[in-house]
Amino acid sequence: MDDRSDAAADYDLFVIGGGINGCGIARDAAGRGLSVALAEMNDLASATSSASTKLFHGGLRYLEYFEVRLVRESLIERETLLKAMPHISWPMRFVLPFHRNMRFDNSTPTSRLLNTVMPWMKGRRPGWLIRLGLLMYDNLGGREILPGTKTIDLDRSVEGKPLKDRFSHAYEYSDAWVQDSRLVVLNARDAQARGADILTRTKVTEAERIGDHWQIKVMNRRSGSERTIRAKMLVNAGGPWVGDVIRTKVRSNSTDGVRLVRGSHIVTHKLYDHEKCYFFQGRDGRIIFAIPYEQDFTLIGTTDSEQDDPDKKPECTEEEMDYLCNFASEYFEKPVTRDDIVWTYSGVRPLYDDGAKSATAATRDYTLKIDEAGGAPLLNIFGGKITTYRRLAEHALEKIVPYFPQATGAWTAGATLPGGDFKVVETRGRIDQLETDYPFLGPKWAERMIRHYGNEAWAILGDANSEEDLGASFGATLTEAEVLWLIEKEYAETAEDVIWRRTKLGLKLDEPQVDQIESFMRDAQIALKERAAE
Ligand SMILES: Cc1cc2nc3c(=O)[nH]c(=O)nc-3n(C[C@H](O)[C@H](O)[C@H](O)COP(=O)(O)OP(=O)(O)OC[C@H]3O[C@@H](n4cnc5c(N)ncnc54)[C@H](O)[C@@H]3O)c2cc1C
């Protein structure tokens, strides 16, 4: 590594990790006038931030762990985020069927308390407790957009139809949905629009303190070439690799640990015919969701299993598939079987190691730790949720700003992401308007475009009068015009980036179609490079 400690730093802030936390921090910092670079070793959101359940939620079950700070912050945040991105996020209603034999996870503080004061309940979760939890959920964070809790009669409602007869009533409450990997990319784009350099497929291989600067060695994973970048401060938002960065890249003595907890989901063809989600409580005290997904599917998850190595690709095991099928079949009249599964995905939660006994009980809250040992500061990020990413970034900036007196104040609350400059209540109108302007789209395609690109859908479709005007058609409504947009504006480089992270069209495309996208993208990137060199 070259030692240029007398030269000015290339950047104020260097962020390791292009998941939601890294991109959120880069965006916030760039908007406050700091010079920022972010390195992501693969594609943006290629790790945990594309593998979540995709909820902006308070986390009803965390109330049983008395995580009131986290729940309150998340509940308040739901509406702030919905307003900033009404295209990629939307309100959802959750139906929680009630049955008297619902049980607690016996390690929660609430269950321990109830076992002491009401031992005759024998670990059952009483109805009044769920109502109390929902009352808190409705009121802890304040609500303007989202409706409150109500009870529903499952014998007489559409929500009861797919369920077994023994479920006769349910509670219904609000949370919100978000397209997680699109959230990451839009944060990266906004950071870039505010001056940040976003370096994808760029791995940090070493970071060394040289006096009051960091020297950061990065490797371009496309070409294998290496270079050194200098920055005044380093942020480690490596998610599951946060410990690896501390130990093997920065080589710090920090004793803080990360606990890796794998969570898997299964996707089936649509299991029921309405737009609400189900919140199912299991015999083991855990909960799972069943959620309408990508227009034609149902998403079911998640599990909690320990994972020892961040480099081991998380995969949904056969046991996890069976667990989720059996869990859902306790509720659905028609059993969910392995044959119903069309796709699975799995991710690793990088939780702060708080010494909890079980993976389910480990805290979901985030912890930010400054390390100043011997000079330039390092900020390590542990834990966090998609829902709290903006607040996590604000808290991170509270720790960063003292090193940069020129930085301006907090600004992201109320600032929309690209394409999201309309009101939450206007989404349906935007979809209808797009279909009116481009009648060849039809309702489902128009909805997909607004839910992915919001007001930018018009820029992608341009003056097209027919599908042919959008260039090559790859299947499932994916066209050349959209793929080019994803390459030029959204850092997409491979077919996988396009079909599993910028969109989820991988659910509908077959292998020859994916090969066609791959080869089109290769040619398009060469042509773009040649054009840029002219
Ligand atoms: C199954 C599951 C369900 C979840 N559901 C929800 C939910 O519904 N709602 C919610 O709010 N939250 C949810 N979460 C939590 C949420 O997904 C995570 O907290 C969040 O995505 C973590 O983001 P991150 O940026 O910290 O990590 P990541 O997204 O993993 O990003 C870290 C990035 O750092 C990169 N990196 C690491 N080392 C290097 C290096 N040396 N050089 C360059 N790059 C590097 C990695 O490639 C990676 O892309 C869920 C999590 C899981 C696993």
Side-chain angles (χ1 to χ4, degrees), residues 16-22 39-42 46-49 51-55 57 202-204 237-241 245 249 261 263 265 302 347-350 383-387:
I16 305 176
I20 190 53
N21 289 327
E40 164 52 53
M41 62 182 170
N42 297 310
S46 51
T48 314
S49 298
S52 79
T53 311
K54 307 172 206 312
L55 301 179
H57 65 156
T202 302
K203 180 170 183 167
V204 172
W241 290 268
V245 169
K249 310 297 182 280
V261 177
H265 293 82
T302 174
V348 179
R349 301 177 181 89
K385 301 187 58 62
I386 297 274
T387 314

Side-chain angles (χ1 to χ4, degrees), residues 78-232:
R78 289 180 310 186
E79 295 208 0
T80 307
L81 297 174
L82 277 172
K83 288 178 197 157
M85 53 197 88
H87 48 340
I88 60 162
S89 68
W90 52 90
M92 275 203 161
R93 294 292 281 170
F94 287 74
V95 176
L96 190 163
F98 180 71
H99 190 262
R100 59 184 298 278
N101 284 331
M102 320 249 115
R103 300 198 99 75
F104 279 120
D105 171 351
N106 57 18
S107 67
T108 72
T110 310
S111 73
R112 285 201 298 268
L113 184 69
L114 243 85
N115 279 339
T116 312
V117 295
M118 296 172 68
W120 60 90
M121 288 302 291
K122 295 197 172 81
R124 286 198 297 270
R125 202 184 251 138
W128 62 261
L129 189 74
I130 297 175
R131 269 201 307 277
L132 181 69
L134 286 166
L135 188 74
M136 283 176 75
Y137 209 71
D138 271 352
N139 295 298
L140 259 179
R143 286 172 297 107
E144 276 175 37
I145 303 171
L146 298 170
T149 298
K150 64 174 193 178
T151 50
I152 44 178
D153 177 352
L154 292 175
D155 295 330
R156 273 172 246 274
S157 62
V158 64
E159 295 84 359
K161 285 229 164 76
L163 302 182
K164 288 185 172 158
D165 285 346
R166 70 190 161 101
F167 299 103
S168 57
H169 71 277
Y171 304 106
E172 186 187 299
Y173 70 96
S174 288
D175 261 324
W177 173 263
V178 61
Q179 316 247 55
D180 55 2
S181 43
R182 293 209 53 73
L183 174 69
V184 177
V185 168
L186 294 186
N187 269 276
R189 277 186 57 198
D190 206 44
Q192 186 178 333
R194 294 168 198 278
D197 285 333
I198 305 292
L199 314 170
T200 60
R201 266 98 187 174
T202 302
K203 180 170 183 167
V204 172
T205 54
E206 205 178 317
E208 192 183 350
R209 279 187 175 104
I210 307 282
D212 59 355
H213 289 88
W214 284 97
Q215 276 202 164
I216 303 141
K217 207 169 174 180
V218 297
M219 184 186 62
N220 182 319
R221 299 191 72 185
R222 296 173 215 97
S223 62
S225 65
E226 289 187 337
R227 68 181 165 123
T228 300
I229 296 173
R230 292 159 46 85
K232 292 181 188 150

Side-chain angles (χ1 to χ4, degrees), residues 251-266:
R251 297 201 197 92
S252 144
N253 295 326
S254 162
T255 52
D256 292 309
V258 65
R259 181 162 183 177
L260 303 181
V261 177
R262 187 179 70 245
S264 298
H265 293 82
I266 57 173

